[in-house]
Amino acid sequence: MHSPLQRIFRLVAQKDAPASAEGRPKVFTFRANDADFDRYNDRLSVQGWRLDAYAANPIVLYMHDDGSGGLFGAGRTDILPIGKGRAYVQGDALLVDIEFDQDDDFARRVERKVEKGILNAVSVRYRMLRYHENERGGYDCDEQELLEISVVTIPGNQRAVRLKKHADERAALIRDIADAVVKALGRKPRTKRKAAPRAAPPSLSESDTHALAAHTARALLQHLQEKA
């Protein structure tokens, strides 16, 4: 008999089961920001990122163009997001896993250029919450709210580039493990006899459950890598 963990790995770790067979988009992992000086002489605390609002509206744009025609737009109002992102802090950086919209021709064009290595960078738009001027005339931000992430040609942070391919594969594996955990948690256990009624446990929203599963998956993979 397989343990629940073994069953989960059997669901997601089949070597000959490519993601494309399920019609799922690829995942591309980028370093979105770090704590060093950027090209504007600003520094953003990695631990200071507030990601809740972005998690609820995880849009990915191209060149910060949101169609508003304002500071980040070019006067057009028909601009739509090109994908969605999953932002998280890992080590000394803010990372983002990006999935491009497969139903959008422009988004797929951007994705192909990312896949070919023609487009390699992203940029963050954020709202400073706690900050002060630093020795270079820029700002050190101790707390900031992430608003959106864009694929760009030239990033404000020169280190905000796509990570190696294995990181993309690792992100896809984490996503699949998280999906499998959520699916497994949603199944009712089979019982041979009627059990006494139990108090219902506190319920989690679908997004909270997936976030918890993804966190568990990342920790599990890190543990396995350390043991290897």
Side-chain angles (χ1 to χ4, degrees):
M1 180 179 292
H2 296 284
S3 69
L5 183 59
Q6 289 173 321
R7 288 198 295 272
I8 289 170
F9 272 105
R10 288 185 66 190
L11 286 172
V12 301
Q14 297 179 27
K15 184 177 181 181
D16 299 323
S20 58
E22 301 177 3
R24 301 185 66 173
K26 297 177 182 178
V27 177
F28 299 88
T29 301
F30 292 79
R31 179 189 295 107
N33 210 268
D34 59 15
D36 205 351
F37 285 105
D38 61 21
R39 289 188 166 106
Y40 307 104
N41 291 323
D42 295 334
R43 288 185 296 195
L44 307 179
S45 169
V46 173
Q47 300 304 321
W49 282 105
R50 299 296 172 257
L51 305 175
D52 290 346
Y54 183 76
N57 183 42
I59 59 172
V60 174
L61 304 178
Y62 179 68
M63 299 296 291
H64 294 297
D65 195 345
D66 60 6
S68 65
L71 176 63
F72 295 96
R76 294 178 57 186
T77 58
D78 59 344
I79 302 298
L80 295 172
I82 60 173
K84 62 181 180 179
R86 180 176 297 167
Y88 53 95
V89 170
Q90 182 171 300
D92 59 353
L94 174 70
L95 304 185
V96 60
D97 300 334
I98 293 179
E99 295 181 9
F100 291 94
D101 184 359
Q102 300 302 297
D103 296 324
D104 186 296
D105 291 338
F106 179 73
R108 295 186 69 177
R109 285 173 57 195
V110 174
E111 179 183 26
R112 286 194 294 270
K113 290 186 182 296
V114 169
E115 196 164 24
K116 291 178 179 178
I118 298 173
L119 285 171
N120 291 295
V122 296
S123 177
V124 294
R125 192 198 310 187
Y126 57 93
R127 183 169 68 95
M128 294 191 296
L129 301 177
R130 290 191 299 113
Y131 58 94
H132 58 276
E133 192 170 349
N134 61 41
E135 65 273 22
R136 292 191 182 182
Y139 291 97
D140 284 350
C141 202
D142 300 317
E143 186 177 359
Q144 59 280 335
E145 178 189 10
L146 181 61
L147 302 179
E148 59 95 353
I149 296 176
S150 284
V151 176
V152 297
T153 53
I154 302 174
N157 184 313
Q158 57 269 45
R159 296 167 300 279
V161 295
R162 183 184 171 193
L163 301 182
K164 295 179 181 179
K165 184 177 179 180
H166 72 80
D168 299 334
E169 295 171 347
R170 180 176 181 272
L173 179 58
I174 288 174
R175 179 197 61 191
D176 289 343
I177 292 175
D179 288 346
V181 169
V182 172
K183 184 177 180 180
L185 290 175
R187 294 177 179 172
K188 295 182 179 180
R190 290 178 295 178
T191 56
K192 294 182 179 179
R193 57 184 180 182
K194 187 175 181 181
R198 298 180 180 179
S203 60
L204 291 174
S205 67
E206 182 179 351
S207 60
D208 288 341
T209 302
H210 199 284
L212 178 60
H215 176 76
T216 303
R218 281 195 290 270
L220 178 59
L221 285 180
Q222 182 176 355
H223 176 72
L224 293 176
Q225 289 170 353
E226 291 173 352
K227 291 293 185 181

